[in-house]
Amino acid sequence: QVQLVESGGGSVQAGGSLRLSCAASGYTSSRFCMGWFRQAPGKEREGVAAINIGGSMTYVASSVKGRFTISQDNAKKTVYLQMNSLKPEDTAMYYCAAVAPRCSGNEYNYWGQGTQVTVSS
């Protein structure tokens, strides 16, 4: 059973930065997709970024490109989402996900509990 443990959410003022972490355990493959999604109240879930653990592929949504960066620690099967120049519209629950047929898609098999990010103006 795959477990995803997220950390790093919180509250920050506009223009600030946060770094989210997600550690995966219980998956035997050394290559798999991990991604970050977010969902704000009343809005649909949005894919933010994705990465191929053990590989080099990364994907970042156009809405956050240039501000958010996804990276990995392959040995720890951990993915990071560095969020800079945060805006109030980035406020949402952020979810980590793992294992998908296509990293940039949304058909992930495993999901974390979510971590709240709140950006005040």
Side-chain angles (χ1 to χ4, degrees), residues 88-102:
E89 51 263 43
D90 294 318
T91 295
M93 185 70 79
Y94 284 69
Y95 296 93
C96 175
V99 186
R102 190 166 56 94

Side-chain angles (χ1 to χ4, degrees), residues 5-12 17-23 36 78-83 86 92-94 96 114-119:
V5 179
E6 300 147 326
S7 61
S11 297
V12 65
S17 299
L18 285 172
R19 188 195 196 204
L20 305 183
S21 301
C22 177
W36 286 100
T78 297
V79 62
Y80 305 98
L81 185 67
Q82 179 67 44
M83 305 184 295
L86 283 161
M93 185 70 79
Y94 284 69
C96 175
T115 185
Q116 179 68 38
V117 171
T118 302
V119 184

Side-chain angles (χ1 to χ4, degrees), residues 18-80:
L18 285 172
R19 188 195 196 204
L20 305 183
S21 301
C22 177
S25 62
Y27 195 66
T28 57
S29 176
S30 60
R31 281 182 175 260
F32 57 98
C33 298
M34 289 186 72
W36 286 100
F37 293 77
R38 67 185 182 184
Q39 188 166 21
K43 293 188 177 181
E44 292 188 355
R45 186 176 64 197
E46 173 190 18
V48 175
I51 194 165
N52 187 10
I53 296 292
S56 59
M57 189 286 297
T58 60
Y59 161 82
V60 179
S62 57
S63 58
V64 301
K65 191 165 290 185
R67 300 189 297 120
F68 290 12
T69 303
I70 189 168
S71 61
Q72 64 174 294
D73 184 328
N74 186 18
K76 296 181 179 179
K77 292 186 178 179
T78 297
V79 62
Y80 305 98

